[in-house]
Amino acid sequence: MTTRADGRADDELRPIKITRNWLDHAAGSVLIEFGRTRVLCAASASEGVPRWRKGSGLGWVTAEYAMLPASTHERSSRESVKGKIGGRTHEISRLVGRSLRAVIDYKALGENTINIDCDVLQADGGTRTAAITGAYVALADAVASLGVQKALTGSVAAISVGIIDGVPRLDLPYEEDVRAETDMNIVMTGEGKFVEVQGTAEGVAFDRAELDALLALGEKGCADLTKLQLEALGS
Amino acid sequence: MTTRADGRADDELRPIKITRNWLDHAAGSVLIEFGRTRVLCAASASEGVPRWRKGSGLGWVTAEYAMLPASTHERSSRESVKGKIGGRTHEISRLVGRSLRAVIDYKALGENTINIDCDVLQADGGTRTAAITGAYVALADAVASLGVQKALTGSVAAISVGIIDGVPRLDLPYEEDVRAETDMNIVMTGEGKFVEVQGTAEGVAFDRAELDALLALGEKGCADLTKLQLEALGS
Amino acid sequence: MTTRADGRADDELRPIKITRNWLDHAAGSVLIEFGRTRVLCAASASEGVPRWRKGSGLGWVTAEYAMLPASTHERSSRESVKGKIGGRTHEISRLVGRSLRAVIDYKALGENTINIDCDVLQADGGTRTAAITGAYVALADAVASLGVQKALTGSVAAISVGIIDGVPRLDLPYEEDVRAETDMNIVMTGEGKFVEVQGTAEGVAFDRAELDALLALGEKGCADLTKLQLEALGS
Amino acid sequence: MTTRADGRADDELRPIKITRNWLDHAAGSVLIEFGRTRVLCAASASEGVPRWRKGSGLGWVTAEYAMLPASTHERSSRESVKGKIGGRTHEISRLVGRSLRAVIDYKALGENTINIDCDVLQADGGTRTAAITGAYVALADAVASLGVQKALTGSVAAISVGIIDGVPRLDLPYEEDVRAETDMNIVMTGEGKFVEVQGTAEGVAFDRAELDALLALGEKGCADLTKLQLEALGS
Amino acid sequence: MTTRADGRADDELRPIKITRNWLDHAAGSVLIEFGRTRVLCAASASEGVPRWRKGSGLGWVTAEYAMLPASTHERSSRESVKGKIGGRTHEISRLVGRSLRAVIDYKALGENTINIDCDVLQADGGTRTAAITGAYVALADAVASLGVQKALTGSVAAISVGIIDGVPRLDLPYEEDVRAETDMNIVMTGEGKFVEVQGTAEGVAFDRAELDALLALGEKGCADLTKLQLEALGS
Amino acid sequence: MTTRADGRADDELRPIKITRNWLDHAAGSVLIEFGRTRVLCAASASEGVPRWRKGSGLGWVTAEYAMLPASTHERSSRESVKGKIGGRTHEISRLVGRSLRAVIDYKALGENTINIDCDVLQADGGTRTAAITGAYVALADAVASLGVQKALTGSVAAISVGIIDGVPRLDLPYEEDVRAETDMNIVMTGEGKFVEVQGTAEGVAFDRAELDALLALGEKGCADLTKLQLEALGS
């Protein structure tokens, strides 16, 4: 049997740390850590909605994800300097936004907008899933600060799973991620339903049995994260 | 039991039409139609590879997806005029590229680059799955024109599935797509393995049983498309 | 005496094909072919006009021209990916727009906007003249769909002419175009008046006699195209 | 008979003033004035050519045209601030470049590049024709400074003509330009041959007789300008 | 004792020339020369203010600085062509704007906007200080043209100072500027107060005594310029 | 006598906290806090230098400054999303780079590049001075990691000073900064020499006595910061 470099069981999360109110200005903010991955999630609330939604009585939630240049193993160049946003950044920003909107009741939110910013301070695999998991907590605080708790219809968490050397594993750090034959990100509600399932074969296509194994791991990981989110919010 | 507006069975594809060699200049080109969805797929071959791959002896395959302004129900604005590519375009271009690279042997391709262009001439749902399915046929022709057929290790096709009014359905046209509770795109090899699985809850999260039903539909749809691809290439 | 590679007389058009209603969504759409040159022209009608024209009671017509990457002999890079529109694209978009506006009565159009999109699917010389000639037919259909036929005050067509090996010729394909000493695009109304005359010496300046010969050829070509436009609209 | 606001005959140029060596750094520079239109033309010479031309033994000439924000009647916004160049600017830059290249022998120029900058300090109609006419003089000085006078195979000048209230007129100031039914820019060599002919109907299409009248006026205007260029160059 | 290449005393300005009304359209315009440095300053007045200031009863003054490509020793590339403004340009535009706003009473200006354009026609050091000094005169004319002279609460001028070969000097031309150990730009009101002080060590940090010497030189230079501004304005 | 909202003496710094090695990947990294202002400074070392410096034997140091959207009181929009960098960001990035280069011996650094990233996680005034002060410590660690300690010729620190209600004060938090009549940023070496002096009158011009008072305060603040930097570096 293979062992993981950090000694974890195959279905075990890395140490997770959720620090609420890491910032003073945002309505909600969280520094979330999945092992060495560190993402700063901020939820800023403002009155009003984008033009296309005005007068509807409905609110809006949107998200932006980005990585600091020095967050990666090799420094990556700054997207503002390049003057355009890369495809990966776009893709993850959209994923985070959709995931959070899955637990929002726009009517109860009223014509308010919540902007979620997920900035990766340090990247070691799983940044998008940490972003979603942390952003949910920041969102909950922002919704509470607006006094519209009913706008939150549930919770949402996300985790990565993958097959490394033929073995399905939970919560991949960078060194496993780059070696994974298959890589999947799973977003689930606190009630155990799926919000997003995104699986990608890296090199070798995967069969139905492998897919099922990954889904089961993802279900366990999201359930574990849900508990940690509730603890963080409960205190 | 609900019926589909176009009279199809729930697990039935729209009429699929694959026209090879629609263009004179590209090494491979296909006009593919999934009902009223019409995508022009071109595979252009050129010697050499991007700088980061030079001297490796390996080839490269990359893809760009775009929609013509008048392809959509309401005219959409042109991305070149806006000066930037939207997140959805980025996301689909990356998906098409990854899907095709899953059946490429870079070593056998040698230091050649194949550029895949998928331009949507008319959109009626399923444009990204039509793009992947058509692009595979154009790619096969381009690989043949280079005389490196071994560079193709298999075939790849893609289809959309979704749950509409509680019923899982195959190959959604626009009017079903906008009403879908869950929307999934499945990319599979000709051998029935998964390359990409991307499922998104639109409004309501989905459970494991629904996910399983969608995967089964997708497997059937991709198998049907594989046959049509082989026929197109066999003639 | 030199002969043309495709056997045409010097004052003869390539085979012209105009297919109306090639798209389902646009108010008017035409696939126009000048030999192997193939341009998809769509006219989309929408209520309202740009801000600077609001309240004037006058309509607006504007055009955008673009080439698909695989339309050219060597694949050309995508302007949306480069993030900016090249000078040639700008120039032709403006030419198409001016040419069509020459036969529009803004008052009769009312505060409606018609967007013309001319996308070159395959390029073999004369793409801008095919675009104008096809766009006129799409525009006529769009105007009719709005029920404001009086907004169209005439017809417009365009053709290229040039001097190759000292001989003035009509409707240049790519292989003649690159060898032309002088290259001219002529846009005329159905009544035989000039809307645009754009002549460029490529390498050798031209004298007045040559200019006159080219104008005469252009007059003939536009008259021929006018007949074909009427036939297409008459059916 | 109508008279012109500035009292000129219909075939008379505005007062033309050509000041050579207006700048200290550029190889050639000219401040050219067509009445109140004032364009600063600079020709900068540098060793080497663009990458696509390296090793060919041939030189290159390219041009950029721009307007200062305060040069126009109403201040216009700065293209560098908008982050993109407008279609009109692109179009004129290309026209100026083509016009000057018509009198260049690339072989004699050797692998040198000459950049022409035409910046409109004050605009009162005819800026593109003033730019071409002045740029020729700057180019001649730059070519001389490189010691390759043979690279210049002739001279080039440009003038605008138009039909105002039914009367063909030469060298239109802004107030005539905006009222012109037809507007034409003519670029000719010193030997009286055409380099560019660009005529545009503004509102009303023009017939062959009108076209001929405009061409004749243009021929006269360019001949007059050629004399002034030669005088300025002291030859 | 070292002497300056142009024979000036260390505390002496270059020949300064201020030509008012150099342009016909702008409300105020000045061609200012500091030796061979030549900057065209235009002040355009328009009714209304930016959106964020509407209804405040207050006016606005803003500035843009730019260099023509051929103004520098080596031709520099055009920012509009590059599609973005460089940091240096941004920095100087902001400096010019702030300097002029220091002598504006927004209330007295009323809801009008004055756009200042400073375009460097020729650069030989001190372009930003020439820009500020000339722009003040153009601004004064623009304010007068609006009939709101009270909006101007004082005058403003700017000069560069620096330490070259250990000697503090006033008004550095390019050849001194590039050799300066310390470079400082000083903006002062006509009453001798400071608006901006920007000192930068180039290579070697400077001590308090050197700073004091530079400030004293700057005070003298600004006082001299103030006189020249008043003369130019004829008061 | 006025008191400061946070009870500090007029010449007293806010609580300063310097946390080294806050990141795992960068050669040097520091989280620096000036009261509630929190800036993450990372110094990434890489072999090689920009093209224009190759073969010179000299190294290079460059810096980028940016603010996270949620760092400010009101969320600010993301520059990568806007597609361009604002003038303020450009200005500060340049200031940070110049300040650090003042203590670098390029020869001793060899052909290596150090990229400094200063990302403001939370802004409460003085972000640019915190960035410089923290970046110096990160730079020292990066230089040490390259084994070229001699490349560092001294230390550098920066502080803001300003006049609030007529009183000169050190290290302004946001609420003082917005009320300041004069605002100055001072960058000094550990030996007490000036690297940068940037003073700006906000509304009211300042006289020489006020300038002297601000310089004295800045000298004290930088000396205090120098001590804290040395302590942090353990020397």
Side-chain angles (χ1 to χ4, degrees):
Chain A
M1 180 198 154
T2 59
T3 355
R4 304 178 82 167
D6 55 9
R8 274 187 290 150
D10 291 332
D11 67 347
E12 190 182 347
L13 295 172
R14 286 179 282 180
I16 308 294
K17 193 166 160 198
I18 299 175
T19 309
R20 274 166 79 197
N21 302 319
W22 206 79
L23 296 173
D24 294 325
H25 308 317
S29 67
V30 160
L31 181 69
I32 189 161
E33 296 166 76
F34 277 28
R36 305 208 301 178
T37 287
R38 224 178 284 173
V39 184
L40 179 53
C41 306
S44 305
S46 60
E47 283 181 34
V49 285
R51 187 173 311 189
W52 51 273
R53 214 170 170 89
K54 270 186 188 149
S56 65
L58 305 176
W60 186 236
V61 172
T62 185
E64 288 173 10
Y65 163 99
M67 300 180 93
L68 292 196
S71 65
T72 46
H73 282 73
E74 296 287 303
R75 181 181 183 275
S76 47
S77 57
R78 204 175 278 270
E79 292 185 323
S80 59
V81 170
K82 288 194 288 188
K84 52 181 164 184
I85 289 182
R88 179 183 175 277
T89 299
H90 257 145
E91 203 169 300
I92 300 180
S93 292
R94 286 159 55 87
L95 172 66
V96 176
R98 281 200 311 271
S99 297
L100 295 174
R101 287 193 291 268
V103 293
I104 284 289
D105 176 339
Y106 292 130
K107 188 101 194 171
L109 182 55
E111 288 206 10
N112 295 295
T113 294
I114 297 179
N115 282 279
I116 306 287
D117 288 291
C118 297
D119 287 274
V120 178
L121 304 187
Q122 184 159 284
D124 186 33
T127 61
R128 80 188 71 187
T129 55
I132 293 168
T133 305
Y136 165 72
V137 178
L139 175 64
D141 278 334
V143 162
S145 83
L146 289 170
V148 291
Q149 283 87 338
K150 284 191 180 168
L152 215 54
T153 63
S155 74
V156 68
I159 198 67
S160 72
V161 291
I163 300 179
I164 292 97
D165 303 331
V167 182
R169 282 178 175 164
L170 184 69
D171 190 16
L172 313 185
Y174 179 74
E175 71 95 16
E176 290 183 349
D177 192 46
V178 293
R179 291 191 299 122
E181 293 114 45
T182 290
D183 184 15
M184 183 172 276
N185 290 291
I186 292 173
V187 185
M188 299 185 76
T189 63
E191 293 170 342
K193 292 199 165 184
F194 295 92
V195 172
E196 289 272 342
V197 173
Q198 297 198 339
T200 299
E202 308 279 352
V204 190
F206 52 95
D207 63 23
R208 183 61 196 271
E210 290 169 319
L211 176 52
D212 287 346
L214 291 173
L215 289 169
L217 266 185
E219 287 177 305
K220 178 186 181 300
C222 285
D224 290 351
L225 288 169
T226 297
K227 275 183 217 148
L228 295 167
Q229 288 173 320
L230 290 178
E231 277 171 30
L233 284 165
S235 50
Chain B
M1 182 197 152
T2 59
T3 356
R4 303 178 83 166
D6 55 11
R8 276 188 289 149
D10 291 331
D11 66 348
E12 191 181 346
L13 295 172
R14 286 179 283 181
I16 308 294
K17 194 167 160 196
I18 299 175
T19 308
R20 273 166 79 197
N21 302 319
W22 207 78
L23 296 173
D24 292 325
H25 308 318
S29 67
V30 160
L31 181 69
I32 189 162
E33 296 166 76
F34 277 27
R36 304 207 303 178
T37 288
R38 224 177 282 172
V39 183
L40 180 53
C41 305
S44 307
S46 59
E47 283 181 33
V49 284
R51 187 172 313 188
W52 51 273
R53 214 172 170 89
K54 271 187 186 149
S56 65
L58 305 177
W60 186 237
V61 172
T62 184
E64 288 174 9
Y65 163 100
M67 301 180 91
L68 293 196
S71 66
T72 46
H73 283 73
E74 297 287 303
R75 179 180 184 277
S76 47
S77 56
R78 203 174 279 269
E79 291 185 324
S80 59
V81 170
K82 288 193 287 186
K84 52 182 164 184
I85 290 182
R88 180 182 175 277
T89 298
H90 257 145
E91 203 169 300
I92 300 181
S93 292
R94 286 158 55 87
L95 172 66
V96 176
R98 281 199 312 270
S99 298
L100 296 173
R101 286 193 292 267
V103 293
I104 284 289
D105 177 337
Y106 293 130
K107 187 104 195 170
L109 182 54
E111 288 207 11
N112 295 295
T113 295
I114 298 179
N115 282 279
I116 307 287
D117 288 291
C118 297
D119 286 274
V120 178
L121 305 186
Q122 184 159 284
D124 187 32
T127 60
R128 80 189 70 186
T129 56
I132 293 167
T133 304
Y136 166 72
V137 178
L139 176 64
D141 278 335
V143 163
S145 83
L146 289 171
V148 291
Q149 284 87 338
K150 283 191 181 169
L152 215 54
T153 62
S155 74
V156 68
I159 198 66
S160 73
V161 291
I163 300 178
I164 294 97
D165 303 331
V167 182
R169 282 179 174 162
L170 184 70
D171 190 16
L172 313 186
Y174 179 74
E175 72 94 18
E176 289 183 351
D177 192 46
V178 294
R179 291 191 299 121
E181 294 115 44
T182 291
D183 184 16
M184 184 171 275
N185 290 292
I186 292 172
V187 186
M188 299 185 77
T189 64
E191 293 170 343
K193 291 197 165 188
F194 294 92
V195 172
E196 288 272 341
V197 173
Q198 296 199 339
T200 299
E202 309 279 355
V204 189
F206 51 96
D207 62 24
R208 183 60 196 270
E210 290 168 319
L211 176 52
D212 287 345
L214 290 173
L215 289 169
L217 265 185
E219 288 176 303
K220 178 187 181 300
C222 285
D224 291 351
L225 288 169
T226 297
K227 277 183 215 147
L228 295 168
Q229 288 173 321
L230 291 178
E231 276 172 31
L233 284 166
S235 51
Chain C
M1 182 198 154
T2 59
T3 355
R4 304 178 82 166
D6 55 9
R8 275 187 291 149
D10 290 333
D11 68 347
E12 190 182 347
L13 294 174
R14 287 178 282 180
I16 308 293
K17 193 166 161 198
I18 300 176
T19 308
R20 273 166 79 197
N21 302 319
W22 207 78
L23 296 172
D24 293 325
H25 309 317
S29 67
V30 160
L31 181 70
I32 189 161
E33 295 166 77
F34 277 29
R36 303 208 303 177
T37 287
R38 224 177 283 172
V39 184
L40 180 53
C41 306
S44 306
S46 60
E47 283 182 33
V49 285
R51 188 173 312 188
W52 50 273
R53 217 173 168 87
K54 270 186 188 150
S56 65
L58 305 176
W60 186 238
V61 172
T62 185
E64 287 173 11
Y65 163 99
M67 301 181 92
L68 292 196
S71 66
T72 45
H73 283 73
E74 295 287 303
R75 180 181 184 274
S76 47
S77 57
R78 204 174 277 270
E79 292 184 324
S80 59
V81 170
K82 288 194 287 187
K84 52 182 164 185
I85 289 182
R88 180 183 174 277
T89 298
H90 257 145
E91 203 168 300
I92 301 181
S93 292
R94 285 159 54 89
L95 171 65
V96 176
R98 280 199 311 271
S99 297
L100 296 173
R101 287 193 291 270
V103 293
I104 285 289
D105 177 338
Y106 293 131
K107 187 102 194 171
L109 182 54
E111 288 206 11
N112 295 294
T113 295
I114 298 179
N115 282 279
I116 307 287
D117 288 290
C118 297
D119 286 274
V120 178
L121 305 188
Q122 185 159 284
D124 186 33
T127 60
R128 79 188 71 187
T129 56
I132 293 167
T133 306
Y136 166 72
V137 178
L139 175 64
D141 278 334
V143 163
S145 83
L146 288 171
V148 291
Q149 283 86 339
K150 283 191 180 170
L152 215 55
T153 63
S155 74
V156 69
I159 198 66
S160 72
V161 292
I163 300 179
I164 294 96
D165 303 331
V167 183
R169 283 181 175 161
L170 183 69
D171 189 15
L172 314 185
Y174 179 75
E175 71 94 17
E176 290 184 349
D177 191 45
V178 293
R179 291 190 300 122
E181 294 113 46
T182 292
D183 184 16
M184 183 172 276
N185 291 291
I186 293 173
V187 186
M188 299 185 76
T189 63
E191 293 169 343
K193 292 199 165 186
F194 295 92
V195 173
E196 290 271 342
V197 173
Q198 297 199 338
T200 300
E202 310 278 354
V204 190
F206 52 96
D207 64 22
R208 184 59 197 271
E210 290 169 317
L211 175 53
D212 287 345
L214 290 173
L215 290 169
L217 266 186
E219 287 176 303
K220 178 186 181 299
C222 286
D224 291 351
L225 287 170
T226 298
K227 276 183 217 146
L228 295 167
Q229 288 174 319
L230 290 177
E231 277 172 30
L233 285 166
S235 52
Chain D
M1 181 197 153
T2 59
T3 355
R4 302 178 83 166
D6 54 11
R8 275 187 290 150
D10 291 332
D11 66 349
E12 189 181 349
L13 294 173
R14 288 177 283 180
I16 308 293
K17 193 168 161 196
I18 298 175
T19 309
R20 272 167 80 198
N21 302 320
W22 206 78
L23 296 173
D24 293 324
H25 309 316
S29 68
V30 161
L31 181 70
I32 189 161
E33 295 166 77
F34 278 28
R36 306 208 301 178
T37 287
R38 224 177 283 172
V39 184
L40 180 53
C41 306
S44 306
S46 58
E47 283 182 33
V49 284
R51 188 172 313 188
W52 50 272
R53 217 173 168 86
K54 271 186 187 148
S56 65
L58 305 176
W60 186 238
V61 173
T62 185
E64 287 172 10
Y65 163 99
M67 301 180 91
L68 292 196
S71 65
T72 46
H73 282 74
E74 297 286 304
R75 179 181 184 273
S76 46
S77 56
R78 203 175 278 270
E79 292 184 324
S80 60
V81 170
K82 288 194 288 187
K84 52 182 165 185
I85 289 181
R88 179 183 176 278
T89 299
H90 258 146
E91 204 169 300
I92 300 180
S93 292
R94 286 157 55 87
L95 172 65
V96 176
R98 281 198 312 272
S99 298
L100 296 173
R101 287 192 291 268
V103 294
I104 284 290
D105 177 338
Y106 293 131
K107 187 101 194 172
L109 182 53
E111 288 206 13
N112 295 295
T113 294
I114 299 179
N115 282 279
I116 307 287
D117 289 290
C118 297
D119 287 273
V120 178
L121 305 187
Q122 185 159 283
D124 187 33
T127 60
R128 79 188 72 186
T129 56
I132 293 167
T133 305
Y136 166 72
V137 178
L139 176 64
D141 278 333
V143 162
S145 83
L146 288 171
V148 291
Q149 283 87 338
K150 284 192 180 168
L152 215 54
T153 63
S155 74
V156 69
I159 198 65
S160 73
V161 291
I163 300 178
I164 293 95
D165 303 331
V167 182
R169 283 180 174 162
L170 183 71
D171 189 16
L172 313 186
Y174 180 74
E175 72 95 16
E176 289 183 350
D177 191 47
V178 293
R179 291 190 300 121
E181 293 115 45
T182 291
D183 184 16
M184 183 170 277
N185 290 293
I186 292 173
V187 186
M188 300 185 76
T189 63
E191 293 169 343
K193 292 200 165 185
F194 295 91
V195 172
E196 289 271 340
V197 174
Q198 297 198 340
T200 300
E202 309 278 352
V204 190
F206 52 96
D207 63 23
R208 183 60 196 271
E210 290 168 318
L211 176 52
D212 287 345
L214 291 172
L215 290 169
L217 266 185
E219 288 176 303
K220 178 187 182 299
C222 286
D224 290 351
L225 288 170
T226 296
K227 276 182 218 149
L228 296 168
Q229 289 174 320
L230 290 177
E231 278 172 31
L233 285 166
S235 40
Chain E
M1 182 198 151
T2 60
T3 354
R4 303 179 82 167
D6 55 10
R8 275 186 289 150
D10 291 331
D11 67 347
E12 189 182 348
L13 294 174
R14 287 179 281 180
I16 308 292
K17 192 166 162 200
I18 299 176
T19 310
R20 272 165 81 196
N21 303 318
W22 206 78
L23 297 173
D24 293 324
H25 309 317
S29 67
V30 160
L31 181 70
I32 190 161
E33 295 166 77
F34 276 29
R36 303 207 304 177
T37 287
R38 223 177 284 170
V39 184
L40 179 54
C41 306
S44 307
S46 59
E47 284 182 32
V49 284
R51 188 172 312 187
W52 51 272
R53 216 173 169 87
K54 270 188 187 148
S56 65
L58 306 175
W60 186 236
V61 172
T62 184
E64 287 173 10
Y65 164 99
M67 299 180 93
L68 292 195
S71 65
T72 46
H73 282 73
E74 296 287 303
R75 181 182 183 273
S76 47
S77 58
R78 204 174 276 271
E79 292 185 323
S80 60
V81 170
K82 288 194 287 186
K84 51 183 164 185
I85 289 181
R88 179 183 176 277
T89 299
H90 256 145
E91 203 168 300
I92 300 181
S93 292
R94 287 156 54 87
L95 171 66
V96 177
R98 281 200 312 271
S99 297
L100 296 173
R101 286 193 292 268
V103 293
I104 284 291
D105 176 338
Y106 293 131
K107 188 101 194 171
L109 182 54
E111 288 206 9
N112 295 296
T113 294
I114 297 179
N115 282 279
I116 306 288
D117 288 290
C118 296
D119 286 273
V120 178
L121 305 187
Q122 184 159 283
D124 186 33
T127 61
R128 78 188 72 186
T129 55
I132 293 167
T133 306
Y136 166 72
V137 178
L139 176 64
D141 278 334
V143 163
S145 83
L146 288 171
V148 291
Q149 283 87 337
K150 285 192 179 168
L152 216 53
T153 63
S155 74
V156 68
I159 198 66
S160 73
V161 291
I163 300 178
I164 293 95
D165 303 330
V167 182
R169 282 181 175 161
L170 183 69
D171 190 16
L172 312 186
Y174 179 74
E175 70 95 16
E176 290 184 348
D177 192 46
V178 293
R179 291 192 298 123
E181 293 115 43
T182 290
D183 183 15
M184 184 172 275
N185 290 292
I186 293 173
V187 187
M188 299 185 77
T189 63
E191 293 170 343
K193 292 199 164 186
F194 295 93
V195 172
E196 289 271 342
V197 173
Q198 297 199 339
T200 299
E202 309 279 352
V204 189
F206 51 97
D207 64 23
R208 184 60 197 271
E210 290 169 318
L211 176 52
D212 286 345
L214 291 172
L215 290 169
L217 266 185
E219 288 176 304
K220 177 183 184 301
C222 285
D224 290 350
L225 289 169
T226 297
K227 276 183 216 148
L228 295 168
Q229 289 173 321
L230 291 177
E231 278 172 30
L233 284 167
S235 43
Chain F
M1 181 196 152
T2 59
T3 356
R4 302 179 83 167
D6 55 11
R8 274 188 290 149
D10 290 332
D11 67 348
E12 189 181 349
L13 295 173
R14 288 179 282 180
I16 308 293
K17 193 167 160 195
I18 299 176
T19 309
R20 273 166 80 197
N21 302 319
W22 206 78
L23 296 173
D24 293 324
H25 309 318
S29 67
V30 160
L31 181 69
I32 189 162
E33 296 166 77
F34 277 27
R36 304 208 303 178
T37 287
R38 223 178 282 172
V39 184
L40 180 54
C41 305
S44 306
S46 59
E47 283 181 32
V49 285
R51 187 172 313 187
W52 50 273
R53 217 172 167 87
K54 271 187 187 147
S56 65
L58 305 176
W60 186 238
V61 172
T62 185
E64 288 173 11
Y65 163 99
M67 300 180 92
L68 292 196
S71 66
T72 45
H73 283 73
E74 296 287 303
R75 179 182 184 273
S76 46
S77 57
R78 202 175 278 270
E79 291 184 324
S80 60
V81 170
K82 288 194 287 187
K84 52 181 164 186
I85 290 181
R88 180 184 174 277
T89 298
H90 258 146
E91 203 169 300
I92 300 180
S93 292
R94 286 158 55 87
L95 171 65
V96 176
R98 280 199 312 271
S99 297
L100 296 174
R101 286 193 291 269
V103 293
I104 284 290
D105 176 338
Y106 293 131
K107 187 103 192 170
L109 181 55
E111 287 206 11
N112 295 295
T113 295
I114 297 179
N115 282 279
I116 306 287
D117 288 289
C118 297
D119 286 273
V120 177
L121 305 186
Q122 185 159 283
D124 187 33
T127 61
R128 79 189 70 187
T129 55
I132 293 167
T133 305
Y136 165 72
V137 178
L139 176 63
D141 278 334
V143 163
S145 82
L146 288 171
V148 291
Q149 282 88 337
K150 285 192 179 169
L152 215 55
T153 62
S155 74
V156 68
I159 199 65
S160 73
V161 292
I163 301 178
I164 293 96
D165 303 330
V167 182
R169 282 180 174 161
L170 183 70
D171 189 16
L172 313 186
Y174 179 74
E175 72 94 16
E176 289 184 350
D177 191 46
V178 294
R179 291 191 300 122
E181 291 115 45
T182 291
D183 184 16
M184 183 171 276
N185 290 292
I186 292 172
V187 185
M188 299 185 77
T189 63
E191 294 170 342
K193 291 200 165 185
F194 294 92
V195 172
E196 289 271 340
V197 173
Q198 297 199 339
T200 300
E202 309 278 353
V204 190
F206 52 97
D207 62 24
R208 184 60 197 271
E210 289 168 319
L211 176 52
D212 286 345
L214 291 173
L215 290 168
L217 265 185
E219 288 177 303
K220 177 184 183 301
C222 286
D224 291 350
L225 288 170
T226 296
K227 276 184 216 146
L228 294 168
Q229 288 174 320
L230 291 178
E231 277 172 31
L233 285 166
S235 43

